[in-house]
Amino acid sequence: MTVIVVLGGTSMDLVAHVARAPGRGETVTGREFAAVPGGKGTGQAVAAARAGGEVVMIGAVGTDGYGPLLRAHLEQAGVDTGLLHTVPGPSGTAHIVVDDGGARSAVVVPGANGTVTGLGPGERAAIASAGLLLLQLELPAAAVTDAARAARSLGVRTVLTPSPVRPLPEGLLDAVGLLVPDEHEAAALTGFGDPHAAAQILLRQVPEVVVTLGARGCLYAARGEEPVLFPAPEATAAGTAGAGDAFVGTLAAALAEGRAVPESLASASAALCVRRPGASASLPRRGGTEAA
C-alpha cells in the first residue's frame, strides 16, 4: 500500500431544504437545515481512507468554529491532517439550497482554501513519498499546477478531477496521468456531449481518462486501447452529493494497492454513496463497497 496525498478544498456545507428555491429578491421558508463537512478534497480523502488507503491531506482551514470540525471529520476517518494548515480567518463554506425536485443551487465562499497558492517544503516532501496524488479544482490554479508538476518530476502518479469545471491552466494536463471528469465536465472541456468522443479528445492530452456517467457507471479510455464501459451496480438514489468523490477516493485506494485501473473501476462506491443522503458523511466504508 502506497501513500495517497490529497491536495484539495475543505468546506462546511450549509444545506437548506425547501419546497422551491427562492427567486431573485425573494425569501422562502425552509423545512430542514444541516451543516455537514464538505469540499471535494475532504470527500476524496475520506473516501480513500475508508476504502483502506493511507491518506495525507494538504489544504487549509480557518480559525472559525468550522475549522476544528473539518479537521476532526478527516481525522475520524483516519486521514493524516499534519499538512492541513490553520490560517487566520474563516474556513471555506458552501451555502446550498436543495428543492423538492432535487435541484441544488450553491454559493461557494473559498475562505481558507484561497490561501493555498503553492507548495511548501513539507508538502513537496509528502508528495515525494507518496504513490498517488489526488487533485481537484477548488484550490487556486497555481497550487494545483505546482503540485501536478512536482508529482510528475518525482514520478508520482497524478489523478485530477476537473471540478468545478473551468478553463484549465496551461500545462496542467501535461502533468496528469489519469483524468476523471463526469460527463458534463468532459463535455465542457472538449465541446463534445458524447462521452466516447470527449474521451478521445482528452486522450490527446492525458494517457488515461475515466468519464463518470452517474447511474450508468463509467467509461474507461486509454491511449491505444478500446474504451470499456463499466456499469454501475443498481442502487436506490437518495441523493447524489458526494458520489463522484466516493468513486475517485475508492478508485485511488485500489490503485494504491497496485491494482490496474480496469480492476479498480469495479468498485461500487459511487452507486453505494447515493443510497444515502449527504455529502462526505455518506461516503461508504470498505466493507460496504466490497459487499456490493
Side-chain angles (χ1 to χ4, degrees):
M1 171 70 71
T2 61
V3 174
I4 301 165
V5 169
V6 180
L7 175 79
T10 62
S11 67
M12 187 61 72
D13 289 356
L14 309 175
V15 187
H17 293 265
V18 298
R20 65 174 182 83
R24 183 176 182 181
E26 183 184 14
T27 299
V28 300
T29 300
R31 68 170 183 278
E32 183 182 349
F33 171 79
V36 293
K40 297 195 72 63
T42 296
Q44 292 184 2
V46 169
R50 288 183 177 175
E54 182 179 350
V55 184
V56 174
M57 180 75 186
I58 299 175
V61 296
T63 49
D64 58 2
Y66 294 141
L69 297 177
L70 292 168
R71 185 181 299 276
H73 177 67
L74 287 158
E75 291 174 348
Q76 287 166 5
V79 177
D80 183 339
T81 62
L83 292 172
L84 181 65
H85 303 289
T86 299
V87 299
S91 301
T93 51
H95 306 257
I96 301 169
V97 174
V98 183
D99 67 23
D100 282 351
R104 295 165 59 90
S105 302
V107 175
V108 176
V109 182
N113 295 309
T115 70
V116 185
T117 57
L119 302 181
E123 287 78 16
R124 291 184 185 278
I127 293 173
S129 64
L132 198 67
L133 173 66
L134 297 189
L135 299 172
Q136 322 81 35
L137 298 178
E138 289 181 327
L139 297 182
V144 177
T145 304
D146 191 11
R149 288 174 173 169
R152 182 180 183 184
S153 69
L154 294 163
V156 176
R157 188 177 196 174
T158 296
V159 178
L160 171 65
T161 302
S163 178
V165 68
R166 63 189 191 207
L168 299 178
E170 184 177 354
L172 174 58
L173 288 185
D174 293 337
V176 170
L178 173 62
L179 186 69
V180 189
D182 66 23
E183 56 188 316
H184 306 294
E185 293 155 357
L189 291 173
T190 65
F192 287 85
D194 175 64
H196 287 80
Q200 294 306 310
I201 295 297
L202 292 169
L203 285 177
R204 297 174 185 174
Q205 297 177 279
V206 295
E208 294 179 289
V209 176
V210 173
V211 181
T212 59
L213 307 172
R216 291 176 289 142
C218 66
L219 175 71
Y220 171 63
R223 291 173 179 168
E225 298 180 18
E226 288 294 318
V228 180
L229 180 65
F230 290 83
E234 292 184 6
T236 301
T240 58
D245 298 333
F247 178 86
V248 174
T250 308
L251 170 64
L255 293 173
E257 292 177 347
R259 303 185 194 182
V261 175
E263 180 186 359
S264 300
L265 290 173
S267 165
S269 177
L272 283 172
C273 182
V274 299
R275 292 174 184 166
R276 301 184 295 277
S280 62
S282 72
L283 298 173
R285 298 182 185 276
R286 179 164 187 153
T289 61
E290 292 188 344

